[in-house]
Amino acid sequence: MRISFNVPTLLGRELEYINDALEQKVISGNGKFTALCQEFLSRLMSGSPTLLTTSCSSALEMSTILASIESGDEVILPSFTFPSTANAIVLRGGTPVFVDISPDTLNIDEQLIEAAITPRTKAIIVVHYGGVACEMDQISAIARRHGLLVIEDAAHALHACYGQHPLGSLGDVAAFSFHESKNIISGEGGALIINNAELMSRAEIIWEHGTNRLEFNRGKVDFYNWVDLGSSFPPSEITAAFLYAQLEHSRDATDRRLALWHNYARELQPLENAEKLHLPHPPDHCRHNGHIFYLLAPSSGKRTEWLNRLDQRDVNAVSHYVPLHSAPAGRRFGRTAGSLPVTEDIAGRIVRLPLHLGLSEDDQSRVVDAVRHVAKG
Ligand SMILES: Cc1ncc(COP(=O)(O)O)c(C=O)c1O
């Protein structure tokens, strides 16, 4: 049987909670399950307020509204990321400025950020690739020196840490994804964490269609009114009910993924020792969450060949991001800060292996055998 790259898995009471939401006869946003998810995530994020969103993309779009990105403003980000990171900038009229990544983490190379800053730079968006933390101490220091906001694209990063600090608690704001491809899922879904208290009152307004409806709900105003930019960012209670059931088991699920990740690392290490491929070695102070297990083929030609040969052995391994700076919209809307040789090299060689909670020991052994076979051949 074919081994899928990803299979969405129920973790517990998803269907029961959806039923519960239906029985309450309120299934639009901001109900009981939204509050439960927001409280759960806020507890994880050292108490920072959380707003549930329809996706990580929409949480990123809220971030760039909050950062007041306007026409001509520049935002620094890696090119090795999903288009949503850059769309959030371009939708506000800003210019994405792409910086190269570091080969050990595939995250933005913090050493290159300062040279990319101009008088138009307003913010830095960091992406914690595969739940491995960016070098947040250095990045926060650069942002403080230059008066920039830091937005964490924490799409991959639930339950991952930088030292003792949970990812998502370190930038001015952070965006999570609960898309079905992530560790914890609700089909589509996301969340915005607001760590900078000065941004909270405006974040609530943006979330609620640009209105002060939450103030009205609290009895603080007599009617609610259109007061700022905004959109329909809250997910329905059906989505939130599903998500809450996942969050309840999110720590266990992360530990199970980590066990699979470490199995791959152990079993494939001899191939790296024999210089057949390269494996990830995240720094010790970046406690990741087993979101992605990747290897690097020796060349992009070999990567294409390996993906085909893995596919012939019924293993659905996949590549990852096409660098944004070389994509048609990236060339049209953005610019690079210098050349991006690491991004271009890694994007051509990366192979992600199947990793999901339904992957049995046998399946994983089959994947390992298939990788041994293609890497030696
Ligand atoms: C780094 C990154 N940011 C943002 C997104 C968008 O997430 P969503 O599908 O929840 O909008 C993704 C999607 O995979 C991603 O990989």
Short mmCIF file of all heavy atoms in Angstrom, two decimals, residues 55-57 60 81-82 84-85 127 153 155-156 177-179 181-182 188-189 321, ligand 1:
data_model
loop_
_atom_site.label_atom_id
_atom_site.label_comp_id
_atom_site.label_asym_id
_atom_site.label_seq_id
_atom_site.Cartn_x
_atom_site.Cartn_y
_atom_site.Cartn_z
N SER A 55 -7.17 31.09 9.13
CA SER A 55 -5.96 30.46 8.60
C SER A 55 -4.75 31.22 9.12
O SER A 55 -4.90 32.32 9.70
CB SER A 55 -5.94 30.52 7.06
OG SER A 55 -5.93 31.87 6.64
N CYS A 56 -3.57 30.66 8.88
CA CYS A 56 -2.34 31.40 9.20
C CYS A 56 -2.20 32.57 8.23
O CYS A 56 -1.75 33.65 8.62
CB CYS A 56 -1.14 30.47 9.07
SG CYS A 56 0.43 31.22 9.47
N SER A 57 -2.62 32.35 6.98
CA SER A 57 -2.55 33.45 6.01
C SER A 57 -3.32 34.66 6.53
O SER A 57 -2.84 35.79 6.46
CB SER A 57 -3.16 33.02 4.66
OG SER A 57 -2.54 31.85 4.20
N LEU A 60 -1.50 36.34 9.30
CA LEU A 60 -0.39 37.16 8.78
C LEU A 60 -0.92 38.47 8.20
O LEU A 60 -0.32 39.53 8.34
CB LEU A 60 0.39 36.37 7.71
CG LEU A 60 1.24 35.22 8.23
CD1 LEU A 60 1.69 34.30 7.10
CD2 LEU A 60 2.46 35.76 8.98
N THR A 81 9.88 30.26 1.88
CA THR A 81 8.66 30.21 2.68
C THR A 81 7.46 30.08 1.74
O THR A 81 7.60 30.07 0.52
CB THR A 81 8.53 31.46 3.59
OG1 THR A 81 7.32 31.34 4.36
CG2 THR A 81 8.48 32.75 2.80
N PHE A 82 6.28 29.99 2.34
CA PHE A 82 5.03 29.86 1.59
C PHE A 82 4.61 31.25 1.09
O PHE A 82 4.89 32.25 1.76
CB PHE A 82 3.98 29.28 2.54
CG PHE A 82 2.76 28.73 1.86
CD1 PHE A 82 2.83 27.60 1.07
CD2 PHE A 82 1.53 29.36 2.01
CE1 PHE A 82 1.71 27.09 0.45
CE2 PHE A 82 0.40 28.85 1.39
CZ PHE A 82 0.50 27.71 0.62
N SER A 84 2.03 32.92 1.36
CA SER A 84 1.23 33.72 2.31
C SER A 84 2.08 34.72 3.08
O SER A 84 1.61 35.81 3.41
CB SER A 84 0.54 32.81 3.33
OG SER A 84 -0.28 31.91 2.66
N THR A 85 3.32 34.34 3.41
CA THR A 85 4.19 35.24 4.18
C THR A 85 4.39 36.54 3.40
O THR A 85 4.35 37.64 3.97
CB THR A 85 5.56 34.57 4.46
OG1 THR A 85 5.37 33.17 4.69
CG2 THR A 85 6.26 35.18 5.65
N VAL A 127 10.36 33.04 9.81
CA VAL A 127 9.62 31.77 9.65
C VAL A 127 10.41 30.69 10.38
O VAL A 127 11.59 30.49 10.08
CB VAL A 127 9.50 31.39 8.15
CG1 VAL A 127 8.78 30.05 7.98
CG2 VAL A 127 8.79 32.48 7.36
N ASP A 153 6.18 34.10 11.74
CA ASP A 153 5.35 33.16 10.99
C ASP A 153 5.62 31.81 11.65
O ASP A 153 6.62 31.14 11.36
CB ASP A 153 5.71 33.17 9.51
CG ASP A 153 4.85 32.20 8.71
OD1 ASP A 153 4.32 31.24 9.31
OD2 ASP A 153 4.70 32.39 7.48
N ALA A 155 3.71 29.18 11.54
CA ALA A 155 2.80 28.21 10.92
C ALA A 155 3.14 26.77 11.33
O ALA A 155 2.25 25.95 11.55
CB ALA A 155 2.83 28.35 9.41
N HIS A 156 4.46 26.48 11.42
CA HIS A 156 4.90 25.08 11.69
C HIS A 156 5.18 24.84 13.16
O HIS A 156 5.64 23.75 13.49
CB HIS A 156 6.24 24.80 10.97
CG HIS A 156 6.22 25.04 9.50
ND1 HIS A 156 7.35 24.94 8.72
CD2 HIS A 156 5.23 25.36 8.65
CE1 HIS A 156 7.06 25.19 7.46
NE2 HIS A 156 5.77 25.48 7.39
N SER A 177 -0.65 28.12 12.12
CA SER A 177 -1.54 27.46 11.15
C SER A 177 -2.08 26.15 11.73
O SER A 177 -1.34 25.40 12.37
CB SER A 177 -0.78 27.12 9.87
OG SER A 177 -1.62 26.38 8.99
N PHE A 178 -3.36 25.91 11.47
CA PHE A 178 -3.96 24.61 11.81
C PHE A 178 -4.51 23.93 10.54
O PHE A 178 -5.48 23.19 10.59
CB PHE A 178 -5.04 24.79 12.89
CG PHE A 178 -4.50 25.44 14.14
CD1 PHE A 178 -4.92 26.70 14.52
CD2 PHE A 178 -3.52 24.81 14.89
CE1 PHE A 178 -4.38 27.32 15.65
CE2 PHE A 178 -2.97 25.41 16.02
CZ PHE A 178 -3.41 26.67 16.40
N HIS A 179 -3.87 24.25 9.42
CA HIS A 179 -4.19 23.58 8.15
C HIS A 179 -3.95 22.08 8.31
O HIS A 179 -3.12 21.67 9.12
CB HIS A 179 -3.28 24.16 7.06
CG HIS A 179 -3.52 23.59 5.71
ND1 HIS A 179 -2.79 22.53 5.21
CD2 HIS A 179 -4.43 23.91 4.78
CE1 HIS A 179 -3.23 22.23 4.00
NE2 HIS A 179 -4.23 23.05 3.71
N SER A 181 -2.23 20.04 6.97
CA SER A 181 -0.85 19.57 6.80
C SER A 181 0.00 19.81 8.05
O SER A 181 1.17 19.42 8.08
CB SER A 181 -0.21 20.29 5.62
OG SER A 181 -0.30 21.70 5.82
N LYS A 182 -0.55 20.47 9.07
CA LYS A 182 0.27 20.84 10.23
C LYS A 182 0.15 19.77 11.34
O LYS A 182 -0.57 18.80 11.21
CB LYS A 182 -0.17 22.21 10.75
CG LYS A 182 -0.05 23.31 9.68
CD LYS A 182 1.35 23.43 9.12
CE LYS A 182 1.53 24.53 8.09
NZ LYS A 182 0.78 24.36 6.84
N GLU A 188 -8.84 23.87 7.81
CA GLU A 188 -8.21 25.18 7.67
C GLU A 188 -8.30 25.81 9.05
O GLU A 188 -9.23 25.53 9.81
CB GLU A 188 -8.97 26.05 6.66
CG GLU A 188 -9.15 25.46 5.28
CD GLU A 188 -7.90 25.55 4.40
OE1 GLU A 188 -6.94 26.23 4.80
OE2 GLU A 188 -7.90 24.92 3.33
N GLY A 189 -7.39 26.72 9.36
CA GLY A 189 -7.49 27.40 10.67
C GLY A 189 -6.18 28.05 11.03
O GLY A 189 -5.12 27.71 10.48
N TYR A 321 9.19 24.44 -0.70
CA TYR A 321 8.94 25.74 -1.33
C TYR A 321 9.80 25.98 -2.57
O TYR A 321 11.00 25.74 -2.56
CB TYR A 321 9.26 26.87 -0.36
CG TYR A 321 8.57 26.76 0.98
CD1 TYR A 321 9.31 26.83 2.16
CD2 TYR A 321 7.19 26.62 1.08
CE1 TYR A 321 8.69 26.76 3.39
CE2 TYR A 321 6.57 26.54 2.31
CZ TYR A 321 7.33 26.61 3.47
OH TYR A 321 6.73 26.54 4.69
C1 LIG B 1 5.53 29.11 6.59
C2 LIG B 1 4.06 29.14 6.24
N1 LIG B 1 3.35 30.26 6.49
C3 LIG B 1 2.03 30.33 6.22
C4 LIG B 1 1.35 29.27 5.68
C5 LIG B 1 -0.12 29.39 5.39
O1 LIG B 1 -0.88 28.67 6.30
P1 LIG B 1 -2.46 28.53 6.12
O2 LIG B 1 -2.69 27.44 5.12
O3 LIG B 1 -2.98 28.19 7.48
O4 LIG B 1 -2.97 29.86 5.66
C6 LIG B 1 2.04 28.09 5.40
C7 LIG B 1 1.33 26.92 4.84
O5 LIG B 1 1.77 25.84 4.76
C8 LIG B 1 3.43 28.02 5.69
O6 LIG B 1 4.15 26.91 5.42
#
